[in-house]
């Protein structure tokens, strides 16, 4: 084990010297490996309160679904540049969850039609953000701060702040359950179903969109330089609008997943406590999405979400209870600040470095698909 | 740079842009909106325009306005601070614990809160100024860091039996003189001082320069980094003071949800007040009026007997309308 550890350390050193740490995926993978190896050692020593194994890791993925999806939504929006960000994803989760709950339980619609209408509503909500930002020229931070308040308010007022539950919604709980994989399942731990029904399709579609379509290229183009993109014949406004619509749609999917997971539609599902938006943005940034736009990869976001979910799960198994929950905040702070500051180190040597990634290196990062 | 202008009217226009009019259009509009709102609420509710209703409203405005001063400064430098919720928590829980355990007197309690805030704000400032990472990322990070510290100090329980030492800031009889709440008076004085500072002093003007173009400001000889450090530190100090008001207006129990969501509330007040989120433009008077508008809406919605959460819908609409009018004015000014 220690030999593996040493070779890993040597490799990290080599990557660092070759500028490899600037590749966020390498850094994230290394951190995930260090975490897994470290936890395996701690587990074999007997420090952990439960057993740290693949079953535990797989079951912790239940938290991965909403976090990774919303971080993907932020990837689309933040990549469009000019300070674009979506603060309203949490509120959209709340509203769409309530709309779904009302249609499915109170109005007695069929599951399929309730889901379709809820998702259409979520695209409309994202569209409002997009139109205000792309066509009316509001800064995205302002638009989505306003709709964060407005959507949250609608979600709470629509049923007088009471959640919707009942036998029909409880029946959806199986959608968030863990399943055994077909054929090869006996060799693998039980993975939450949401990983296959929600994360996998969204990730595949998003990857194809970003890397294999004109739309994806336009998205990176307007984020890198809006004026240049416009002169290149890209419809910059429509591209940005669609990014916000995508963010709304993904929030809608998270809403339906959250309703299934908690077996009730809660009006504060996406905004209670610290809310869902700020963690999602944090994950996106940790995954190497430049807040200045134009840079960001799907794989980075997925890895960052995996790191944080497993880190949180690891902390809870070593330090159980409240102390563990508190330690998760510290861990997120250290990882986020550490990764951003390490990333900014090389740019500090240049005269005008700004943002998490150096402005002189966007081309190789964005044009290499994965 | 305006001295080279030959056309006198153009020169005056340029000077006007450097030193904006004493009261900007946005502030006049906000003042009118708040006045109209108050008159309407006075007509449609029996008790809105009474001392028993306006007093608590002004007390509730105070912390948002005070933190808004710091946030206005930060946003003028083209930064942002989303760690406010964490800072309030740390300041409030440390102060509350000291009030309970050693029965700290009023002045030391306020000083402790402000000192803790200054320390946390300095952490933000140093990381923003020297880390070369976007302020929103830095403060996302420190927000989590401060939450950790706050929860540790709370020690997974509430702080109970807080004495009434800070009641001079509260809603009660001890909290006001001749009907004017002390905390609101402090906020108004602080806003006046910040207004003067931003408008008439060199360090104040420098903040606009930094927000307009950081690199140009540096080349013009402005010590950008030290300025940034103390702007974030000042936000911390204001958060510390606001934490005292938060303790004073609460019950004798402080729970762990203190401060939650405040960062967005403060940013909302700042942007409704006409400060540009892009930096380089903004006013603290607008921020005070923005905070007043938001709180009036919340109070009004409750007194009209509507669901209290409906207030947030209006807050969202006000943000869109306020920034929208500002965008239109900007477009008109740029048009030939």
């Amino acid at each position: 084990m220690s030999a593996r550890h040493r070779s890993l350390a040597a490799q990290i050193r080599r990557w660092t010297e070759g500028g490899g740490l600037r590749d966020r995926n390498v850094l994230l993978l290394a951190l995930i490996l260090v975490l897994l190896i470290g936890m395996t050692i701690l587990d074999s020593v007997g420090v952990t309160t439960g057993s740290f194994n693949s079953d535990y890791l797989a079951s912790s993925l239940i938290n991965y679904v909403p976090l990774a999806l919303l971080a993907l939504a932020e990837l689309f929006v933040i990549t469009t540049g000019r300070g674009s960000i979506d603060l309203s994803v949490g509120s959209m989760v709340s509203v769409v969850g309530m709309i779904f709950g009302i249609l499915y339980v109170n109005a007695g619609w069929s599951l399929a039609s309730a889901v379709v209408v809820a998702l259409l509503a979520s695209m409309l909500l994202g569209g409002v953000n997009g139109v205000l930002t792309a066509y009316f020229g509001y800064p995205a931070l302002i638009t989505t701060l306003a709709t964060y308040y407005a959507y949250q308010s609608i979600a709470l007022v629509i049923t007088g702040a009471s959640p919707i539950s009942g036998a029909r919604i409880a029946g959806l709980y199986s959608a968030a359950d863990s399943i055994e994989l077909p054929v090869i399942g006996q060799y693998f731990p039980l993975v939450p179903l949401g990983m296959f029904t929600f994360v996998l399709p969204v990730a595949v579609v998003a990857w194809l969109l970003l890397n294999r379509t004109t739309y994806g290229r336009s998205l990176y183009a307007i984020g890198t330089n809006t004026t240049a993109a416009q002169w290149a014949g890209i419809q910059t406004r429509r591209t940005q609008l669609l990014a916000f619509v995508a963010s709304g749609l993904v929030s809608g999917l998270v809403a339906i997943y959250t309703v299934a997971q908690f077996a009730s539609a809660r009006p504060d599902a996406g905004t209670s406590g610290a809310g869902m938006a700020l963690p999602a943005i944090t994950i996106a940034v940790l995954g190497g999405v430049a807040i200045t736009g134009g840079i960001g990869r799907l794989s980075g976001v997925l890895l960052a979400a995996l790191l944080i979910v497993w880190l949180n799960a690891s902390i809870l198994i070593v330090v159980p209870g409240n102390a563990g929950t508190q330690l998760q905040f510290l861990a997120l702070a250290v990882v986020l600040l550490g990764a951003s500051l390490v990333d900014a180190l090389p740019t500090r040597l240049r005269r005008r470095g700004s943002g998490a990634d150096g402005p002189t290196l966007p081309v190789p990062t964005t044009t290499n698909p994965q | 740079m305006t001295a080279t202008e030959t056309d006198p009217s153009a020169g005056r226009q340029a000077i006007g842009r450097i030193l904006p009019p004493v009261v900007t259009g946005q502030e006049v509009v906000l003042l009118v909106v708040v006045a109209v709102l108050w008159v309407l609420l006075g007509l449609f509710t029996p008790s809105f325009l009474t001392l028993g209703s306006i007093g608590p409203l002004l007390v509730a405005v105070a912390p948002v306005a005070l933190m808004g001063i710091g946030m206005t400064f930060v946003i003028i430098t083209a930064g942002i601070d989303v760690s406010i919720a964490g800072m309030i928590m740390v300041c409030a829980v440390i102060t509350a614990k000291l009030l309970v355990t050693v029965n700290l007197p009023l002045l030391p309690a306020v000083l402790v809160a402000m000192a803790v805030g200054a320390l946390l704000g300095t952490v933000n400032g140093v990381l923003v100024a020297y880390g070369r990472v976007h302020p929103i990322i830095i403060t996302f990070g420190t927000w989590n860091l401060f939450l950790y510290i706050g929860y540790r100090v709370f020690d997974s329980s509430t702080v109970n039996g807080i004495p009434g030492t800070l009641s001079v800031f509260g809603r009660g009889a001890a909290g006001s003189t001749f009907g004017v709440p002390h905390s609101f008076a402090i906020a108004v004085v602080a806003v006046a001082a910040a207004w003067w500072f931003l408008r008439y002093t060199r360090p104040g003007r420098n903040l606009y320069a930094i927000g307009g173009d950081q690199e140009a400001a540096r080349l013009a000889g402005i010590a950008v980094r030290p300025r940034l450090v103390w702007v974030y530190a000042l936000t911390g100090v204001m958060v510390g003071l606001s934490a005292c008001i938060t303790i004073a207006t609460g019950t004798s129990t402080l729970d762990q949800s203190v401060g939650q969501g405040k960062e967005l509330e403060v940013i909302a007040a700042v942007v409704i007040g006409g400060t540009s989120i892009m930096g380089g433009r903004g006013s603290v008077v607008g921020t005070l009026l923005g905070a007043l508008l938001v709180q009036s809406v919340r109070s009004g919605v409750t007194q009209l007997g509507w669901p209290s959460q409906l207030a947030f819908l209006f807050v969202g609409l006000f943000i869109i309308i306020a920034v929208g009018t500002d965008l239109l004015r900007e477009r008109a000014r740029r048009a030939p």
Side-chain angles (χ1 to χ4, degrees), chain A residues 56-69 176 192 195 199 257 261-262 276 283 305-306 308-310 312-313 316 328:
Chain A
Y56 181 67
L57 285 177
S59 65
S60 71
L61 290 178
I62 189 108
N63 299 320
Y64 183 82
V65 178
L67 198 58
L69 286 178
M195 291 295 287
V199 177
Y257 180 78
Q261 188 185 353
F262 294 104
M276 280 183 173
I283 297 292
L306 193 64
I308 292 305
V309 167
W310 279 354
N312 283 344
L316 277 189
Q328 291 176 345

Side-chain angles (χ1 to χ4, degrees), chain B residues 168-183:
Chain B
V168 284
F169 297 127
R171 282 190 289 252
S176 54
T177 309
F178 304 123
V180 179
H182 298 144
S183 45

Side-chain angles (χ1 to χ4, degrees), chain A residues 268-358:
Chain A
D268 62 344
T271 48
S272 64
M276 280 183 173
L278 301 193
I281 296 164
T282 309
I283 297 292
V285 167
L286 184 61
V289 179
I291 206 85
T292 42
I295 303 171
R297 278 183 293 175
L298 184 113
S299 49
V301 173
L302 293 180
L303 283 174
L306 193 64
L307 173 66
I308 292 305
V309 167
W310 279 354
L311 185 60
N312 283 344
S314 304
I315 288 170
L316 277 189
I317 206 172
V318 177
V319 187
N322 261 324
T325 318
Q326 294 162 7
L327 209 56
Q328 291 176 345
F329 289 106
L330 180 67
L332 186 57
V334 169
V335 172
L336 178 67
L337 288 175
S340 316
L341 291 171
V342 162
D343 210 33
L345 271 179
T347 51
R348 292 186 61 178
L349 304 176
R350 288 192 213 106
R351 237 185 89 243
R352 281 199 62 177
S354 64
D357 291 64

Side-chain angles (χ1 to χ4, degrees), chain A residues 156-281:
Chain A
L156 285 161
V157 172
I158 206 167
T159 59
S162 56
I164 300 172
S165 47
R168 284 198 84 185
I169 278 191
L172 290 178
Y173 181 70
S174 58
D177 215 355
S178 295
I179 53 144
E180 194 182 275
L181 298 176
V183 190
I184 50 167
Q186 67 238 44
Y187 309 108
F188 283 92
L190 299 177
V191 174
L193 183 60
M195 291 295 287
F196 303 104
T197 51
F198 285 83
V199 177
L200 194 63
V202 171
V204 168
V205 170
W207 186 86
L208 288 174
L209 258 181
L210 288 176
N211 298 301
R212 289 285 181 270
T213 66
T214 325
Y215 175 74
R217 299 290 91 198
S218 316
L219 199 68
Y220 285 110
I222 68 166
T224 311
N225 186 335
T226 312
T227 316
Q230 201 158 16
W231 282 103
I234 293 170
Q235 292 188 310
T236 54
R237 292 180 166 182
R238 206 192 59 174
T239 308
Q240 192 176 30
L241 167 66
L242 288 178
F244 276 99
V245 172
S247 174
L249 178 61
V250 172
S251 305
L253 288 169
V254 172
I256 289 163
Y257 180 78
T258 310
V259 168
Q261 188 185 353
F262 294 104
S264 86
R266 292 182 302 135
D268 62 344
T271 48
S272 64
M276 280 183 173
L278 301 193
I281 296 164

Side-chain angles (χ1 to χ4, degrees), chain A residues 13-91:
Chain A
R13 203 158 45 241
R14 217 180 58 223
W15 281 322
T16 319
E17 280 157 8
L21 274 182
R22 291 187 57 76
D23 188 336
R24 186 55 69 87
N25 287 0
V26 173
L27 177 67
L28 290 170
L29 264 180
L31 285 175
I32 291 174
L33 272 179
V34 168
L35 174 73
L36 292 182
I37 293 167
M39 283 306 295
T40 313
I41 294 170
L42 283 184
D43 189 45
S44 60
V45 176
V47 183
T48 52
T49 52
S51 59
F52 184 83
N53 52 26
S54 54
D55 283 329
Y56 181 67
L57 285 177
S59 65
S60 71
L61 290 178
I62 189 108
N63 299 320
Y64 183 82
V65 178
L67 198 58
L69 286 178
L70 291 180
L72 283 183
E74 296 292 348
L75 166 69
F76 274 83
V77 171
I78 296 175
T79 303
T80 64
R82 287 180 299 163
S84 288
I85 199 163
D86 194 343
L87 294 173
S88 71
V89 287
S91 296

Side-chain angles (χ1 to χ4, degrees), chain B residues 138-154:
Chain B
I138 293 287
T139 52
F140 270 138
T142 54
W143 170 56
N144 282 289
L145 180 69
F146 300 157
L147 282 182
Y148 169 72
I149 298 171
Y151 283 124
R152 289 302 301 185
V153 181
F154 259 113

